[in-house]
Amino acid sequence: MKHHWVLTVTAAAIIAALPMTVEARLTEALKPSEPAPMFEVEDYGIEMASGESITRPDPELPDVSQYNREAVEERLSERPDERPNVSVERIAGVSALGDFVDEGRAREWVIRQYSHPQAILVNSGKATLDDVFRQVDDARYMERNEDGSYIIRLPLVVRPGATLEIRDETLRLSEERGAFLANDSWLFVIDSTIIGWREKANGPATFQKKSNFRPFFVGWGGSETFVLGSDFASLGYNQSKSYGFSIAQYSKYDNARLKRSAPHAWLIESTFRDIYYGFYCYEAEDVAIVNNTYRDNIVYGIDPHDYSSNLLIAGNHVYGTLEKHGIIISREVNDSWILNNRSHDNGLSGIVLDRQSSNNVVANNVVHDNAGDGIGLYESPDNLLWGNRLINNLRNGIRVRNSTNVGVYHNIAALNGTFGVLGQIKDLSATDRNFEEDFYHQAVSLTVVGGKLASNASGPLSTDNPQYIELYDVDMRFPRSDVGIHFDGVLGAYQTEIFDALLNNHRAVRLTPVGD
């Protein structure tokens, strides 16, 4: 399912077109986490240039319409229509369950199952929930309720080569008995509900504490997961690969034996709520998260992580995340698209790119009323922000921290609690960051073209010690302060020249250290 390959090339090409200056190349040559050279205000010079030198055409964005009901049904029709085989067996030796019995975690299921842990295994063929129910044929493990819904009281695993289709069904996963759903092959969830279930309360397994077990879903390396028009709710807790809805490659140790390709998934027109992480992935590729609703999740709404690539996050409505960000990609999540999402009223920022996530395009999103920044780039160089609207966020409209070669084109940042756009250098040595795994450079450089920076509490724009900053056609009218616009630092030293170039002469401005 390599449906994003062309998109990857396009995204990388878009970012490659951003200016690569001498200063940026010097920054790239720094050792990991080494601070860039620090400059005084008098070290900088100002250069005027034509606007054409730093403008660029609109990015060619991917066709989101290809992720639809017909495409999912076509994928399902390609699976062999073979008679299913389902069994209940001990979990030892089942690759999809290894993570949950290693390092003492098996105790969780021994306690909940009152015996040696078992699982329901879809071993082969194409199965429906009714097939699973009839072949299990034991109410201790799986039961059909009076309303037609099913409840499972064991982990349910789709084994390699098999297909499980859940269509127009409600599947409840028993919290007390330690049920969860693991896909090691092909899973289709269409117009259905998957919900963590608290049997004692006869209701959803709503979040209580991060350490408390709740049922979850995981799609492993080599798997294909398709979710369409469905509802996932009350899942996940703070344990590895048990976060709620996860698409994850096997560990290096396990995959040396299993040799699985990266996992893939399409999530389309569905709802994810009351989930510890609404979405999480690890070393995933070709994931499409399109036109979904993520609401009232616990730590993150959408959280692609660790060396994932070729992701499309488009048209989603993400809000009410309790603790942290609505959408975040972190630790070398590259060559991806975050488009046309609405992210608001989240515990921290609306959209974040973190820990060396590069060659990504963030375009046409509406991000408002978040308790952090609208969009934050943290230690993530070589990204493009295009046409986003960032309104009434508690901190900055856009924050670019320790990130170089960032393009900020045609964005609107208004009524934010500090700056419209902030370029920031920050020493992270006092944090618990692993600087070998999560290296960074204490340097910032950005190009700001077009758009409006209006009525932000601390001002339209600020940056400290940039490797370079380029400005053109930026509307900075309507300051919130009674004294008008007042830059500090290097921008303040050239404020008159900057406004003369931008407003009177319609020229681009470039500030850069001039050297000795």
Side-chain angles (χ1 to χ4, degrees), residues 214 260 341 394 406-407 439 455:
R214 290 202 301 173
R260 298 288 179 82
N341 302 285
L394 186 62
V406 174
F439 68 92
S455 296

Side-chain angles (χ1 to χ4, degrees), residues 199-347:
E199 293 195 69
K200 290 180 181 178
N202 193 32
T206 52
F207 178 76
Q208 294 175 330
K209 291 170 55 178
K210 67 180 183 179
S211 59
N212 286 9
F213 172 87
R214 290 202 301 173
F216 55 89
F217 165 77
V218 60
W220 286 113
S223 70
E224 307 271 358
T225 299
F226 296 86
V227 174
L228 171 67
S230 294
D231 186 15
F232 281 71
S234 298
L235 302 172
Y237 69 120
N238 190 29
Q239 277 283 1
S240 176
K241 312 304 188 296
S242 306
Y243 300 128
F245 192 106
S246 302
I247 303 293
Q249 180 58 279
Y250 283 101
S251 69
K252 286 185 178 180
Y253 174 81
D254 288 334
N255 212 32
R257 171 176 54 89
L258 297 171
K259 302 187 185 313
R260 298 288 179 82
S261 60
H264 310 307
W266 289 5
L267 313 182
I268 304 170
E269 298 173 2
S270 296
T271 298
F272 301 84
R273 54 190 173 86
D274 184 33
I275 300 178
Y276 193 67
Y277 290 7
F279 174 86
Y280 171 86
C281 69
Y282 172 82
E283 293 188 6
E285 295 178 1
D286 302 332
V287 172
I289 306 172
V290 176
N291 295 337
N292 304 288
T293 296
Y294 286 82
R295 64 176 177 88
D296 303 324
N297 294 299
I298 310 306
V299 182
Y300 300 109
I302 300 174
D303 179 27
H305 226 279
D306 290 71
Y307 318 114
S308 297
S309 62
N310 304 352
L311 311 182
L312 176 62
I313 303 169
N316 301 287
H317 188 188
V318 185
Y319 65 97
T321 309
L322 297 180
E323 294 187 10
K324 296 188 179 180
H325 314 299
I327 301 171
I328 175 174
I329 63 175
S330 184
R331 189 172 288 137
E332 296 189 47
V333 177
N334 301 329
D335 303 313
S336 297
W337 305 83
I338 302 174
L339 311 175
N340 296 305
N341 302 285
R342 183 182 175 199
S343 183
H344 63 94
D345 293 287
N346 297 294

